[in-house]
């Protein structure tokens, strides 16, 4: 498709289970972002990739969160030993431009993966 | 990286009325973006205004930017029920960060 694709759209996990969320960005987009959005809140930045390089992971809430983009296209966000507070929508966004030091261009978002941890 | 703060948190209007949402931020910027999010969906980019621009139009959208007051506004004219969504501003930075948004409800 022409847009950012995320899978699964919905995931229910038992507490302690590991989950993997996939993002297919728009073809050729250099930059890829992951955000976490709790119910009723705005998206919170998690991590940023420029091609395959993870240049910023300062928003990852704990070492249970891990993201990769090994070939500079598809990205996976992995959450180990899920906790109830991890329940949220995880949004992926891509951009054709490199992220600047003081500037970020338009982001193209996927529909998100809604994670519910029981 | 800074985030914008949207005001009001919630706004309810009748179809056909205009809707105005405001955004404040703290430090100097290169540009500011507005996004819309329909319930259960991802964010959609609406408009980007650069720091040297004061006003920009796109269809029924009008965005203003006052860098001296560190504020921006989004005006939606002749609102429709389909405009019901959350609206977020994002001041530029090395990462885009978002506030809690304005939840706009347009009643038919």
């Amino acid at each position: 498709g022409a847009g950012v694709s995320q899978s699964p759209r919905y995931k229910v996990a038992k507490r302690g289970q590991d989950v993997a969320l996939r993002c297919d960005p728009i073809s050729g987009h250099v930059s890829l972002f992951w955000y976490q959005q709790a119910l009723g809140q705005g998206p919170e930045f998690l991590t940023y990739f420029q091609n395959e390089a993870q240049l910023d992971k300062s928003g990852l809430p704990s070492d249970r969160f891990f993201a990769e983009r090994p070939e500079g296209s598809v990205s996976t966000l992995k959450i180990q030993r899920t906790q109830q507070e991890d329940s949220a929508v995880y949004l992926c966004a891509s951009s054709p431009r490199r992220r600047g030091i003081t500037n970020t261009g338009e982001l193209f978002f996927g529909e998100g993966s809604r994670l519910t941890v029981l | 990286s800074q985030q914008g703060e949207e005001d009001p948190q919630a706004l309810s209007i009748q179809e056909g009325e205009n809707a105005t949402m405001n955004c404040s931020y703290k430090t100097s910027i290169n540009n500011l973006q507005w996004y819309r999010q329909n319930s259960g969906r991802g964010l959609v980019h609406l408009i980007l205004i650069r720091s040297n621009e004061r006003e920009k139009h796109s269809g029924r959208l009008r965005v203003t930017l006052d860098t001296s007051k560190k504020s921006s506004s989004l005006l939606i004219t002749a609102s429709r029920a389909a405009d019901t969504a959350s609206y977020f501003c994002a001041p530029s930075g090395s990462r885009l960060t978002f506030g809690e948004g304005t939840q706009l409800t347009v009643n038919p």
Side-chain angles (χ1 to χ4, degrees):
Chain A
V4 177
S5 178
Q6 292 189 244
S7 61
R9 285 294 316 277
Y10 303 93
K11 174 70 178 176
V12 178
K14 292 183 179 176
R15 192 159 55 96
Q17 192 176 353
D18 297 349
V19 300
L21 308 176
R22 177 187 169 106
C23 173
D24 274 281
I26 295 172
S27 178
H29 276 199
V30 168
S31 292
L32 188 145
F33 297 77
W34 282 99
Y35 287 85
Q36 179 190 58
Q37 186 175 25
L39 190 64
Q41 305 292 312
E44 297 270 353
F45 171 83
L46 292 177
T47 188
Y48 165 71
F49 289 87
Q50 179 179 302
N51 296 309
E52 69 279 1
Q54 189 176 19
L55 298 186
D56 185 349
K57 53 182 181 179
S58 61
L60 296 177
S62 78
D63 59 7
R64 295 185 296 104
F65 287 70
F66 171 77
E68 61 183 5
R69 194 187 185 197
E71 297 177 358
S73 55
V74 171
S75 177
T76 304
L77 177 67
K78 297 179 180 177
I79 309 172
Q80 297 177 323
R81 304 181 303 282
T82 53
Q83 304 294 316
Q84 284 188 317
E85 62 262 28
D86 300 334
S87 294
V89 175
Y90 291 85
L91 294 165
C92 175
S94 70
S95 168
R97 294 174 51 185
R98 287 181 175 79
R99 185 184 75 171
I101 294 173
T102 59
N103 192 17
T104 300
E106 173 187 351
L107 296 189
F108 297 81
F109 281 83
E111 300 282 60
S113 291
R114 180 178 296 277
L115 173 65
T116 302
V117 182
L118 303 177
Chain B
S1 202
Q2 64 171 320
Q3 70 181 48
E5 292 185 9
E6 297 87 355
D7 174 69
Q9 284 190 326
L11 179 62
S12 182
I13 59 174
Q14 295 299 123
E15 213 166 23
E17 294 180 341
N18 296 341
T20 299
M21 289 157 272
N22 302 298
C23 169
S24 60
Y25 57 92
K26 290 187 167 52
T27 62
S28 60
I29 59 171
N30 288 324
N31 67 56
L32 184 143
Q33 302 179 41
W34 284 91
Y35 286 79
R36 182 189 75 228
Q37 184 178 35
N38 290 82
S39 180
R41 309 295 294 273
L43 278 72
V44 174
H45 181 265
L46 293 176
I47 197 165
L48 181 153
I49 186 165
R50 301 187 191 285
S51 59
N52 61 354
E53 297 175 307
R54 292 295 167 258
E55 188 171 311
K56 197 164 182 179
H57 296 253
S58 176
R60 294 183 296 112
L61 305 181
R62 174 180 162 239
V63 168
T64 63
L65 180 65
D66 187 335
T67 53
S68 66
K69 294 181 180 178
K70 294 186 170 55
S71 67
S72 174
S73 67
L74 171 66
L75 168 68
I76 304 174
T77 59
S79 64
R80 306 167 182 168
D83 295 329
T84 294
S86 292
Y87 292 81
F88 298 91
C89 70
S92 69
S94 60
R95 60 171 87 152
L96 279 191
T97 55
F98 300 90
E100 297 192 2
T102 292
Q103 172 60 52
L104 172 66
T105 302
V106 181
N107 301 298

